[in-house]
Amino acid sequence: MSEFSLDHRLAEDTFFIADLYTSELRLMNDSRWPWLILVPKIADAVEWHELHTDQRQDIDFEIANLAAILKANTGCKKVNIASLGNMVRQLHIHIIARSEDDENWPGPVWGFGKRVPYQRESAKVLISSIQKELGQSA
């Protein structure tokens, strides 16, 4: 069995936030939406239903916790949670803060417009806030 390694596209498109119990947490480099990416540290994981029950439960706990943190930090109206995997097969979960005044409300974020990368300082502020909520330091 191979070891966990992050798909290069996820690494290139995101900023590292934290190493959690079951997953690696990252911030999508698109400032239009506060958009977290949760990547389970399970080698060769592709499909949610193929995980062991205990793995799914651990990841579900992380998703719920992160959704609450994201909502509290952004004041968003809705948190979208999805796992698509059509472009990047490695299992990863999108946790996205949505508000009625965002660029494509209520439509989906995928395939809409052109990505707007974060200014480095803006990303650092959001990352630090999430790390603080998780009890981790920068």
Side-chain angles (χ1 to χ4, degrees):
M1 183 154 105
S2 62
E3 291 184 27
F4 167 79
S5 65
L6 185 65
D7 184 283
H8 70 92
R9 292 164 292 189
L10 292 175
E12 292 166 2
D13 291 345
T14 62
F15 300 106
F16 177 81
I17 298 176
D19 195 27
L20 306 178
Y21 176 72
T22 305
S23 308
E24 184 171 304
L25 179 61
R26 304 187 68 85
L27 174 67
M28 179 65 83
N29 189 11
D30 188 342
S31 64
R32 297 176 296 167
W33 299 280
W35 184 340
L36 303 178
I37 301 289
L38 188 67
V39 186
K41 297 180 289 187
I42 302 167
D44 303 320
V46 174
E47 300 290 353
W48 179 257
H49 67 274
E50 294 173 346
L51 300 179
H52 297 289
T53 301
D54 58 335
Q55 291 171 319
R56 286 194 310 268
Q57 288 173 336
D58 290 343
I59 295 165
D60 186 56
F61 174 81
E62 290 176 345
I63 292 168
N65 188 40
L66 291 168
I69 288 170
L70 191 59
K71 192 163 191 172
N73 273 269
T74 65
C76 67
K77 184 81 167 176
K78 181 78 174 82
V79 177
N80 292 172
I81 300 170
S83 174
L84 302 176
N86 297 343
M87 300 294 285
V88 175
R89 288 182 51 81
Q90 180 175 36
L91 181 61
H92 61 287
I93 296 93
H94 301 262
I95 306 168
I96 309 164
R98 300 297 307 275
S99 296
E100 292 174 346
D101 62 351
D102 76 32
E103 276 197 47
N104 199 35
W105 177 270
V109 298
W110 289 277
F112 176 78
K114 186 173 179 177
R115 178 172 69 157
V116 178
Y118 275 98
Q119 295 293 320
R120 179 69 70 181
E121 193 56 38
S122 296
K124 286 173 75 174
V125 168
L126 181 54
I127 289 168
S128 293
S129 177
I130 292 168
Q131 287 171 334
K132 183 178 177 185
E133 291 286 335
L134 292 169
Q136 300 188 8
S137 58

